[in-house]
Every structure is written in C-alpha cells, then in structure tokens.
Amino acid sequence: MDMKTSSGKKLGLKEKYRHMTRGLDWETTYQKREDVFPYVAYEGIKIHDWDKWEDPFRLTMDSYWKYQAEKERKLYAIIDAYAQNNGHLNVTDARYLNAIKLFLTGISPLEYMAHRGFTHAGRAFPGSGPRVACLMQALDELRHAQTQIHSLSNYNKYYNGFHDPAHMLQRVWYLSVPRSFFDDAVTAGPFEFMVAIGFSFEYVLTNLLFVPFVSGAAYNGDMGTMTFGFSAQSDEARHMTLGLEIIKFILEQDPDNVPIVQRWIDKWTWRGYRVLTLVGMMMDYMLPKRIMSWKEAWEVYFEQNGGALFKDLSRYGIRPPKWLDQISFDKDHISHQAWATFYQYGAIADFHTWSPTEDELDWLSSKYPDSFDKYYRPRLDYWREQAEQGNRFYNKTLPQLCQTCQIPMVFTEPGDPTKICYREVDYQGEKFHFCSDGCKEIFENEPEKFKQSWLPANQIYQGNCFPDGTDPTVEGFDPVSKVLEYYNIQAGRDNLDFDGSEDQKNFAKWRGMATSNE
Amino acid sequence: MAVAAIKEYRFESADRLENFHGNQLLFVGWEDHLMFCAPFAFLLPPDFPFQALIEDVLPGAYGYHPDFAEIDWAKVEWLRSGQPFQPQLDKSLADNGLGHKAVIRFRTPGLTGIGGTCS
Ligand SMILES: [Fe+2]
Ligand SMILES: [Fe+2]
C-alpha cells in the first residue's frame, strides 16, 4: 500500500505514519470535547499540546501485521513441534512445572488485563499519537495472553493445576495479590494507568519478571515457555519505549504534573516490587536449575539499570522511588519469607511446594551469606526433618493480610528480619493494617479506594468463599474443603507437597517410558 | 487527596463489622516465632473470654511449634496495637478493649524459636 506525495515520491515510514494516524484525527464540533473525553482531566494532569507527543513506534497497521504474523508463525511452529515430541518430558524435573503454574495463574491473566487497560487508556486520550500507541500495545497484550495460554495448555494435558487460571485469578487467596495490583491500575485514570503499567511496570520492572521466567524456561528445558517469551520480547521493547515516552511527555507538559507523577512512581514501584516477591521465590526455590538469585537479579535489573534511569529523570525534578533503602535491605529476605508462606499454606494452593534438597540449600547459603544460614536454613531443616517423620507442616489457620498489597503480613521490620512489620491506621472508626510503610502510605493517599480491598482471608470469614448453596451451619462443616471447591482446586491433586504427588509419579513414569525399554 | 473521581465516589469498607454476622476479627502474632509466616486472623464473638483464646484457640493454631508447649502463660508479655498491654484473662475481648480488627502480639521470654533463630 504505497502512498505518493505530490512530487510522486513514495513516503518514508515516518511520513506514512504521520498521515495515517495524526492526519486522520479531527476536533470535536457538535459535542463538547470534555464530554467526548471525560477521563482526561480529573487526575489533575495538565496537557497543553498533544502534538508534542513523540511517537515511539511509528507503526501503521500494515507493518504491524507483517511483523506480528511472522512471529506468530514461528511461535506456533515451535509449540506444535514441542507438543508432538513430548517436549514436556525434557524439563529438568517435574518440580519445575510449578513455576509455570505460577506464571499461568498469576501472570497470563494480567496480560489480558493489560490489554483491557490499554484499550481504555487509548480511548481516554484526546491525542491521536498516544491513542494509536495504546491500541498497538493493547493488541500485543492480547496476543501475549493468548500465546501464553496456547503454549501452556500443552501442560494441562498431563499435569495438575493448569486447568482454570482465569477463574482462579478471581478467587484464590494469593492470586488476589497480582489481581488487585492490576485492578488498582485499570480503575485509576488513564494517566495513572500509563505511569503504573506503561512506565513503572513495563519500563522499570519488566526485566525482573520476564528475564527470570524466560531464562528459567531455557535453563530448565522448557521450549514452549521460552518461545513465547522470545516472541514477546520485541513487543516488550516497544512497550518500554512507550512507557518512557509517556512519562517524559507528561513531565514536559506542565510543572504541576511533577508531584503527581512522583507520587505515582512511588506507589507503583512499591506495588510492583511487592508483586515481584512471587518472582523472587520462583527464582530462588522453584527452578531446579537456577539462573541467578533474586538478589542478583534485583541488583542488575533494578539497582544498576534503574539507577541510570532515575538519574536521567532528575532533570524533570523526579527523584528515585521512595522506600528503596528498605527494598535494598529486604533483598536478602523476601524470597525466603515467601517460600515459607507457600510451603506452610501448601494445602490451599494450586501448585506444589517441597523441602529444598541439600545442594539447593547450599546454593541458597552461598547466594545469601548474610541471611540464609542465620534466619532461614534452620527453619527449612526443621520442616524437612518433620516431613521425613510424617509430620509435614500445613498451616490451617488463616493469616492476617495487608490492606494494600494483600500479601499475608509476612514481611519484617526494616533492618530487623526477626520482627514482623506491623503498621496500622484508624480511618472512619475502623482499623486497617499494613505490611510496611509503603503500603500504609499508599492507603493514606487513597483510603476510599483501598478500604474496599477484597481480602481473601476476611472474605472467607464473611462466608463469601463457598460454592453456591453451601450451608456452613451443618454439623461437621469443613470450611477448607469448601473453599478449595470454590477455588476449583482439586484437593489431593493440585495442592500439598510435591513429594508423593500425582505430577511427580506421572512424570517419573512417562520419562521412564521415554528413555528406557520398560 | 482522598479521592480523585469524575463523580461522587462513596463506597463502604469491605470488612466493616456488620459483614461478620455478629463476630469480629482478631489478629494475633507470636513474637520471635516466624515459623508461622504471618500473624493469624481469628473470627470470634466480642464476648469471647480472653482465657478461652489462650486455652481453646491458640493451641490449634500454634501447637505445631515445639516451643508452644513450653510457654509459661504467667510470664507472657502482651502488646495491643504495638503498646504494652495487660489482658484481664477472665474478661471478654470487648472488655479488654479489643474491638473489630484489633491486633495483639505475645512475647514468650526465653523462647525464641528453632535453635534460637526466631523461627
Ligand atoms: Fe505483555
Ligand atoms: Fe503490603
């Protein structure tokens, strides 16, 4: 589809883009502009000239389809081959599959939510440049959700816990952490959404999410996951560019925007960091073949790369996010605290947990010389001994949750890993509890929003997490089994220790059949 | 800035007392025993005796820990919302000033978890 200028020459990519996007826009005439774009002003962000927006991609649909179609073809060819050759039997160890369950339930539905968020933001912006950029990203995100579900559905044929991720995201206790993170973003205004997801998540934190899962897949023989990861990579590069562009655009438009954006950067870096606790746990405990520790990943991808970014943004009056001192101290601790949580609540999760092997413990000791032997190894040793004696620890009492991040109150005081961090606020005659100064301050900035948090433990106690028609007053009522039913977790199959699980037995049996004559 | 919204924004708190059908939430943490990853949430009526909390509720939640059987309850130190607190054991939660979503912690002197590591 070539367009000619009056001189008869073909247009370059940049000019074609200009004509085909901005050139198609118009001003409202018979309706008021603020009625057509009702969400653009209420957050307090001032935009004087939407044309100052610099387009980061300059894609028209024809080139977009061409690139994406090529990537899809490659991806599905590899996924098909992987499925046909029983590629699942090439993973290092069936424990690895639990990292992928975590991805499917905790991350893939967020791709879908990102799709919805970007369509919404795109609709809300009066400027045609960001509108088109958001549309492209919305399409990418939908593609990510679908390619991930396609790739991982292969595992659902053979292993437990893969059967109902979208349903689980809405219900299962720990999945309220990623879910509420995204719900918070998509229910914010379009500018906050862009700073939350476009900038803080895609630009600042995305490497901490994708690199561990994609490299983890590569290290552990999981071609399917590796392939969708690589297929998403060039999209991610575009998303990062968009994230950076949006923030620079907002900051350049009006000095009054700076404090608002700063508050959002503080909020969303903290919220994103809290969600990444799950990734830290995955890296340190769930990959049979480790890539690097959570602490190392944080140092490379946040402290080094992020340091340069915030130096660059300082010319706009933006400082690094709040609470970085605490984050820096906590990098020795959070992955261990998270694993301990999932290990003990293993009866109500949709994936398996286990006692690390002796050399995995040694690896952790070497990666965390200042914390692991002192605080965490004795606990894991004790649990392993107990499990060997048939007394595996399953915590059956519901935990207290943080009102903001919704994670059980497992995090410790800044500087003291032996003390749980308790923070509370009295608001409208009710007490609200928080895991940290960060989560407390986020609540204090938006109490009317966060007092509505759907906290899974409290919802269970309100009687809202049983299947329809359940009567909790009947004799012998077993709340745990009813909650699992409500979650669509198959008790005895999806949950409990990996040791003795159906996944463990099946994997060993099938691998034996594939590699020997039995 | 409590609310940024395009129209009136008024909702109720998800965990307001009336949603718990006559009960209330009580959060309890055991200091220096992080084998229990987080404080617990219990659903109890406001007239529940404090003594019954110790005798009937906590053992089910904490009994797995070898330190639990060693606790001398007469020596236990309590905190309520982070401040030192002397519960009246024969009084109810309400009479001990423990309303909905109150948080208490107890410290057991001499008992500091597996191998003294606060686990
Ligand atoms: Fe994505
Ligand atoms: Fe929190």
Side-chain angles (χ1 to χ4, degrees), chain A residues 220-248:
Chain A
N220 288 279
D222 176 6
M223 282 280 283
T225 302
M226 199 179 90
T227 308
F228 76 62
F230 284 134
S231 182
Q233 209 168 42
S234 55
D235 300 344
E236 295 302 338
R238 265 188 293 119
H239 301 172
M240 290 175 77
T241 318
L242 174 59
L244 192 60
E245 178 52 37
I246 191 86
I247 205 140
K248 289 186 171 169

Side-chain angles (χ1 to χ4, degrees), chain A residues 10 108 368 397 494:
Chain A
K10 256 173 81 174
S108 300
Y368 294 96
T397 310
D494 301 336

Side-chain angles (χ1 to χ4, degrees), chain A residues 38-39 42 263 341 344-345 374-375 378-379 382-383 386 391 393 395 397-400 409-410 412 417-420 422 424 430-433 445-446 448-449 451-453 455 458 461-462, chain B residues 1-6 9 11-16 19-21 25 27 29 31-32 34-43 60-61 64 66 81 100-103 105 114 117-119:
Chain A
Y39 297 110
Y42 81 92
R263 186 169 60 77
T341 305
Q344 66 194 263
Y345 286 109
K374 195 165 168 199
Y375 303 109
R379 185 184 309 172
Y382 180 79
W383 281 340
Q386 292 298 308
N391 190 29
F393 182 36
N395 190 341
T397 310
L398 297 177
Q400 181 186 16
M409 297 258 299
V410 305
T412 42
T418 68
K419 291 258 173 289
I420 295 283
Y422 293 82
E424 66 177 75
E430 184 175 336
K431 279 190 189 305
F432 294 91
H433 300 274
N445 284 329
E446 298 169 90
E448 287 299 312
K449 186 172 198 180
K451 74 181 191 185
Q452 300 170 63
S453 295
L455 301 180
N458 302 359
Y461 279 141
Q462 288 182 30
Chain B
M1 195 200 66
V3 178
I6 55 168
Y9 186 95
F11 296 94
E12 294 195 276
S13 132
D15 290 322
R16 59 194 183 277
N19 286 356
F20 291 86
H21 317 291
L25 290 179
F27 302 117
E31 296 286 275
D32 309 328
L34 299 192
M35 181 190 292
F36 305 98
C37 62
F40 287 130
F42 296 108
L43 183 69
Y64 185 85
S81 282
H100 182 44
K101 293 165 78 180
V103 59
R105 300 184 241 174
I114 306 299
T117 62
C118 295
S119 266

Side-chain angles (χ1 to χ4, degrees), chain A residues 110-111 114 137 140-142 144-145 148 202 210 232 235-236 239:
Chain A
L110 299 193
E111 301 274 16
Q137 180 157 357
D140 292 341
E141 301 297 1
L142 185 58
H144 295 175
Q148 288 167 20
E202 294 277 356
F210 271 91
D235 300 344
E236 295 302 338
H239 301 172

Side-chain angles (χ1 to χ4, degrees), chain A residues 236-481:
Chain A
E236 295 302 338
R238 265 188 293 119
H239 301 172
M240 290 175 77
T241 318
L242 174 59
L244 192 60
E245 178 52 37
I246 191 86
I247 205 140
K248 289 186 171 169
F249 172 70
I250 300 173
L251 293 171
E252 279 166 4
Q253 283 289 310
D254 198 295
D256 289 354
N257 295 342
V258 176
I260 303 176
V261 169
Q262 181 71 60
R263 186 169 60 77
W264 287 338
I265 290 176
D266 293 343
K267 171 184 175 183
W268 288 99
T269 305
W270 182 258
R271 293 219 64 188
Y273 161 73
R274 274 291 185 244
V275 172
L276 289 177
T277 305
L278 292 170
V279 181
M281 166 181 93
M282 190 282 291
M283 294 180 76
D284 284 345
Y285 286 88
M286 299 177 76
L287 296 177
K289 177 104 184 108
R290 309 290 203 260
I291 34 177
M292 57 166 72
S293 67
W294 161 254
K295 181 181 176 181
E296 289 166 328
W298 182 260
E299 287 167 351
V300 172
Y301 295 113
F302 187 86
E303 291 179 0
Q304 289 169 24
N305 300 358
L309 166 69
F310 284 103
K311 208 177 236 163
D312 185 36
L313 290 176
S314 66
R315 69 192 149 106
Y316 298 104
I318 291 292
R319 51 157 178 75
K322 275 187 167 180
W323 309 299
L324 288 186
D325 287 354
Q326 181 179 351
I327 294 178
S328 176
F329 179 83
D330 284 354
K331 69 192 173 192
D332 273 308
H333 303 282
I334 59 167
S335 62
H336 315 298
Q337 292 165 344
W339 180 253
T341 305
F342 281 93
Y343 179 86
Q344 66 194 263
Y345 286 109
I348 50 172
D350 59 315
F351 61 87
H352 301 297
T353 47
W354 52 84
S355 290
T357 63
E358 203 59 31
D359 39 275
E360 288 168 342
L361 294 170
D362 291 344
W363 183 87
L364 288 164
S365 294
S366 73
K367 292 294 181 185
Y368 294 96
D370 300 330
S371 63
F372 189 68
D373 287 355
K374 195 165 168 199
Y375 303 109
Y376 305 105
R377 193 164 181 158
R379 185 184 309 172
L380 294 168
D381 283 340
Y382 180 79
W383 281 340
R384 186 170 55 168
E385 280 161 30
Q386 292 298 308
E388 281 163 5
Q389 294 162 31
N391 190 29
R392 203 276 197 200
F393 182 36
Y394 288 114
N395 190 341
K396 299 267 175 67
T397 310
L398 297 177
Q400 181 186 16
L401 307 179
C402 171
Q403 186 76 22
T404 301
C405 69
Q406 309 202 5
I407 299 177
M409 297 258 299
V410 305
F411 299 108
T412 42
E413 281 287 352
D416 187 354
T418 68
K419 291 258 173 289
I420 295 283
C421 181
Y422 293 82
R423 298 289 183 272
E424 66 177 75
V425 165
D426 283 292
Y427 180 70
Q428 296 174 339
E430 184 175 336
K431 279 190 189 305
F432 294 91
H433 300 274
F434 309 94
C435 72
S436 54
D437 294 319
C439 282
K440 174 170 172 271
E441 188 171 313
I442 291 167
F443 175 92
E444 287 172 317
N445 284 329
E446 298 169 90
E448 287 299 312
K449 186 172 198 180
F450 284 98
K451 74 181 191 185
Q452 300 170 63
S453 295
W454 192 92
L455 301 180
N458 302 359
Q459 289 296 322
I460 291 172
Y461 279 141
Q462 288 182 30
N464 297 334
C465 301
F466 306 128
D468 283 345
T470 302
D471 177 6
T473 61
V474 296
E475 218 185 289
F477 176 69
D478 174 11
V480 173
S481 78

